[in-house]
Amino acid sequence: MLMLLLVWITKVRGQTKFFNVMKYGAVPDGKTDNRVLRASTDPSSLNTDHWISFRHVDGLTLTGGGSFDGQDSPNTDEIHIGRSSDIQIFDSTIAIEDDYISMSHRSKNINITKVHCGPGHGISIGSLGKLPNEEPVLGITARNCTFSGTSNGVRIKTWAPSASPSIVSNITFQDIIMDNVYNPIIIDQQYCPLHNCAKKAASRVQISDVKFRNIRGTSSSKVAVNLQCSSSVPCEKIELMDINLAYKGSDGPVDSSCSHVSGVSYGEQMPPSCI
Ligand SMILES: *[C@@H]1O[C@H](CO)[C@@H](O)[C@H](O)[C@H]1NC(C)=O
Ligand SMILES: *[C@@H]1O[C@H](CO)[C@@H](O)[C@H](O)[C@H]1NC(C)=O
Ligand SMILES: *[C@@H]1O[C@H](CO)[C@@H](O)[C@H](O)[C@H]1NC(C)=O
């Protein structure tokens, strides 16, 4: 897929500027390689760990009916947010091998609405706690999103052991449809993909005030709700409201699993709540 017409609107010192990519050489004929916005298949040509980045900007709007084609580079996050606040992402469709949207430290007031994901991973807060001096992640909302055939749905992950204490708070995942998702709802505070991690060490990232509301659909694994929090700083004020996730595998019925979690659950609870 190539983007056909993508207009960048950016506010520079209060003035709105439009950038029409056709003026920068994009040709919408369905044949021309418009590498305006299609990544090279050779990652070494980038010289960096990212393809398109926005830094030190204020008041940027990126809009239009186009697409970014990363030519599905492995182990890539589609949209990675860090050290940023007041961001809205809406009406987007994402298919990628790694996290669709990941939010790392010092992400604040992020609003994700009507995003469709699949196949690939999911929406992730984290991973956090890998680096020293990480700052809190506060005020993230994801609403009216759908996930199809993904390995994760909504996830918070923190490293164990963690290099520094930190905070994740005021997070809402609401009105979400899961279609055949392996881990629809997951908090993983034992994230450690490296071989030599000390599995016994606990994460020092405190997770609190996380709401999972009106999350429905199907899980492709038995444990549809999996909340594995830190033994040293347990999760607090976790809310499960109106959860209805079905699992059809022979090792059913659908289940939930919690460690070191306190909070409330109400409304429909399928699987039965472990809080
Ligand atoms: C999030 O974005 C959606 C879509 O633009 C908007 O309707 C909603 O009011 C926003 N919510 C917040 C909390 O900003
Ligand atoms: C929680 O985050 C939302 C944005 O997602 C923000 O509008 C709200 O003010 C925050 N609440 C608190 C108590 O900080
Ligand atoms: C979000 O989902 C809720 C529940 O399904 C629905 O009532 C609401 O209209 C949806 N909002 C948008 C903006 O699609």
Side-chain angles (χ1 to χ4, degrees):
M1 277 284 287
L2 289 187
M3 64 80 223
L4 287 183
L5 207 163
L6 192 130
V7 182
W8 296 13
I9 305 170
T10 180
K11 275 190 186 153
V12 179
R13 291 191 196 91
Q15 290 191 326
T16 301
K17 288 193 175 183
F18 289 82
F19 296 89
N20 186 336
V21 291
M22 289 203 277
K23 289 211 171 121
Y24 294 84
V27 181
D29 63 1
K31 295 177 196 149
T32 308
D33 183 1
N34 286 299
R35 292 175 52 165
V36 185
L37 283 170
R38 186 187 222 185
S40 162
T41 48
D42 176 13
S44 64
S45 68
L46 286 177
N47 292 322
T48 60
D49 63 353
H50 51 264
W51 175 31
I52 294 171
S53 76
F54 301 102
R55 287 162 193 249
H56 315 294
V57 291
D58 190 10
L60 174 76
T61 305
L62 187 57
T63 185
S67 67
F68 290 96
D69 182 355
Q71 310 238 45
D72 284 343
S73 28
N75 198 20
T76 304
D77 294 348
E78 177 80 356
I79 300 175
H80 179 76
I81 299 169
R83 298 191 198 92
S84 302
S85 55
D86 305 312
I87 294 182
Q88 296 212 30
I89 299 170
F90 52 93
D91 295 332
S92 300
T93 300
I94 304 176
I96 190 92
E97 286 187 23
D98 210 319
D99 292 329
Y100 301 118
I101 300 177
S102 66
M103 288 155 280
S104 68
H105 83 111
R106 218 167 97 198
S107 298
K108 203 176 156 197
N109 285 329
I110 314 289
N111 175 3
I112 301 164
T113 308
K114 288 210 217 163
V115 170
H116 306 276
C117 300
H121 287 205
I123 293 182
S124 261
I125 295 176
S127 53
L128 297 168
K130 189 185 180 187
L131 304 173
N133 306 316
E134 289 192 356
E135 293 179 50
V137 173
L138 302 171
I140 313 284
T141 304
R143 283 189 79 159
N144 293 84
C145 295
T146 57
F147 297 82
S148 300
T150 57
S151 50
N152 300 297
V154 290
R155 168 163 74 162
I156 302 175
K157 60 177 175 180
T158 76
W159 285 74
S162 42
S164 56
S166 191
I167 287 173
V168 174
S169 190
N170 187 17
I171 313 294
T172 304
F173 299 109
Q174 184 164 345
D175 299 327
I176 293 186
I177 308 284
M178 303 285 178
D179 172 14
N180 202 32
V181 173
Y182 195 78
N183 292 307
I185 296 175
I186 179 163
I187 295 179
D188 177 8
Q189 293 212 262
Q190 287 289 340
Y191 182 69
C192 187
L194 309 175
H195 301 303
N196 56 352
C197 291
K199 279 282 183 196
K200 279 164 265 161
S203 169
R204 289 184 288 153
V205 177
Q206 167 84 69
I207 297 174
S208 68
D209 197 3
V210 182
K211 299 178 179 70
F212 299 97
R213 292 179 167 171
N214 189 26
I215 300 185
R216 297 166 186 283
T218 53
S219 173
S220 60
S221 78
K222 180 180 162 72
V223 183
V225 176
N226 198 0
L227 309 176
Q228 305 302 322
C229 293
S230 167
S231 56
S232 68
V233 281
C235 293
E236 290 173 359
K237 288 174 72 185
I238 307 298
E239 178 189 303
L240 289 173
M241 173 188 161
D242 292 331
I243 307 296
N244 191 339
L245 294 164
Y247 170 63
K248 293 210 170 67
S250 54
D251 56 337
V254 66
D255 207 356
S256 62
S257 169
C258 293
S259 298
H260 313 293
V261 180
S262 70
V264 293
S265 48
Y266 50 98
E268 216 173 346
Q269 292 294 328
M270 186 54 67
S273 171
C274 54
I275 292 182

